[in-house]
Amino acid sequence: MPKLNQQFQLPDGRKLGYDEHGMPDGKPLIYFHGSPSSRVEFSLFGDDALLRSLNVRLIAVDRPGMGLSDFQPNRRLLDFPTDLLALADHLDIERFAVLAYSLGGIHGLACARAIPERLTKVGIVSGAALFTEAKLMQNVNEGTRKYLTLSRENPFAARLFLGMMAMMIRFAPKLMTASAASNLPAPDRPIAADSNFQAGFVHMLREALRNGTRGAFHESLLAVTDFGFRLQEIQTPILLWHGEADQNVPVEMARYVASAVPKCEAGFYPNEGHLSLFKKHAAEFIRVLV
């Protein structure tokens, strides 16, 4: 049985939320959700039966300000690896792989840069998100662009946008899911239309915003701010998987990351989008990582 809704107190007093899935003594894999999102996101793409079949112990962790994790003021991208190490030590995990999805990808890159001695591999699915590079932003869909750029250009409007999202997901979830689906490319639409996926998506967002919008707002700022390191400095092996029809994180960003990171193996999938790639290939990606 999975261990859900757990919290660990960090050395500075903040609490970090996480869920555990799969085999208690299996190969450790830590999951990084997208944004705004939460630890429950993994259930949209995989389940305990899959993890048990692969002998995997998956820990899905909430980043600060989302889900069960306390907000961390002035957090930088390179701060999260410190939280992650504290959690790994608490769980008696010496070395582990990382699976990062969507906007969790930049946190995967940060960990690859900051804590290479503790990582076996880092896998990034639909998450080579270089929103710091204006030349790579051309094919980003409108919803993603608004979520990210408003935080820098108009903080008041960004907070209003996130507040409306929180209200919609609470009081008009069908309208929220329809709005999110309207920005998706063709390969993603059948997945977004599935009633079970929609229920999971609503649960994921409600959990992400359960304590307000500060965490999501700060994450959007981190995505459009200088990372604090260069991709060329990363020495951890990176596995990159990306759909060529993705419009949340356009494939141009993934190609750029693949060319810049020294030890990167990239797979590009024609006619796959932001959701469809992970939904169809989760078992394949997890098998390679562990």
Side-chain angles (χ1 to χ4, degrees):
M1 293 292 291
K3 298 178 181 178
L4 306 180
N5 306 321
Q6 300 184 85
Q7 285 183 307
F8 164 65
Q9 188 165 349
L10 294 160
D12 67 0
R14 287 181 296 116
K15 291 180 180 177
L16 205 62
Y18 65 100
D19 288 346
E20 288 194 65
H21 298 274
M23 301 294 286
D25 57 351
K27 298 172 183 176
L29 178 64
I30 300 186
Y31 180 75
F32 293 179
H33 59 72
S35 186
S37 189
S38 56
R39 69 196 181 284
V40 303
E41 177 188 274
F42 177 76
S43 64
L44 296 177
F45 303 104
D47 56 29
D48 273 70
L50 168 64
L51 296 171
R52 288 194 297 271
S53 73
L54 297 174
N55 189 33
V56 172
R57 177 190 184 188
L58 183 138
I59 297 99
V61 57
D62 287 325
R63 288 192 297 279
M66 288 180 281
L68 295 173
S69 291
D70 291 336
F71 182 70
Q72 182 182 15
N74 304 314
R75 175 166 67 97
R76 300 165 301 170
L77 198 59
L78 287 170
D79 288 334
F80 185 64
T82 303
D83 288 356
L84 195 66
L85 287 189
L87 177 62
D89 290 344
H90 169 68
L91 297 173
D92 294 321
I93 297 173
E94 179 60 31
R95 300 191 77 217
F96 52 91
V98 164
L99 173 58
Y101 174 66
S102 189
L103 210 56
I106 63 173
H107 300 274
L109 292 172
C111 288
R113 172 63 182 86
I115 54 171
E117 69 283 355
R118 298 291 292 272
L119 303 178
T120 54
K121 295 178 183 175
V122 173
I124 298 175
V125 181
S126 307
L130 285 184
F131 297 109
T132 52
E133 300 289 334
K135 64 183 179 181
L136 301 177
M137 288 281 285
Q138 293 181 359
N139 296 319
V140 177
N141 71 47
E142 183 181 355
T144 302
R145 185 186 300 272
K146 183 181 291 185
Y147 169 61
L148 293 168
T149 58
L150 271 181
S151 60
R152 180 177 58 198
E153 297 169 3
N154 190 335
F156 175 79
R159 289 187 172 92
L160 186 63
F161 175 73
L162 285 167
M164 290 175 62
M165 182 187 295
M167 292 290 285
M168 285 178 66
I169 204 64
R170 183 177 178 185
F171 297 110
K174 290 184 178 180
L175 184 61
M176 182 68 211
T177 54
S179 175
S182 68
N183 288 310
L184 295 174
D188 288 337
R189 290 173 194 159
I191 295 166
D194 179 81
S195 59
N196 289 328
F197 187 91
Q198 290 178 1
F201 178 79
V202 168
H203 177 48
M204 173 197 82
L205 268 185
R206 283 178 174 167
E207 187 65 19
L209 303 172
R210 64 183 290 163
N211 292 314
T213 60
R214 287 194 304 170
F217 175 81
H218 194 70
E219 285 250 318
S220 64
L221 271 179
L222 289 178
V224 295
T225 303
D226 182 82
F227 287 178
F229 62 91
R230 296 171 64 249
L231 297 177
Q232 290 81 356
E233 298 168 358
I234 295 173
Q235 293 303 314
T236 304
I238 301 288
L239 297 165
L240 202 66
W241 298 289
H242 214 94
E244 293 183 350
D246 194 333
Q247 293 174 356
N248 289 60
V249 182
V251 69
E252 293 86 355
M253 295 188 180
R255 295 192 192 281
Y256 184 97
V257 170
S259 68
V261 174
K263 300 176 183 177
C264 183
E265 295 181 24
F268 299 101
Y269 293 70
N271 304 313
E272 296 293 1
H274 196 68
L275 303 175
S276 66
L277 176 65
F278 200 8
K279 189 69 173 177
K280 294 178 183 178
H281 298 277
E284 171 191 338
F285 300 157
I286 293 171
R287 186 179 292 111
V288 170
L289 285 172
V290 299

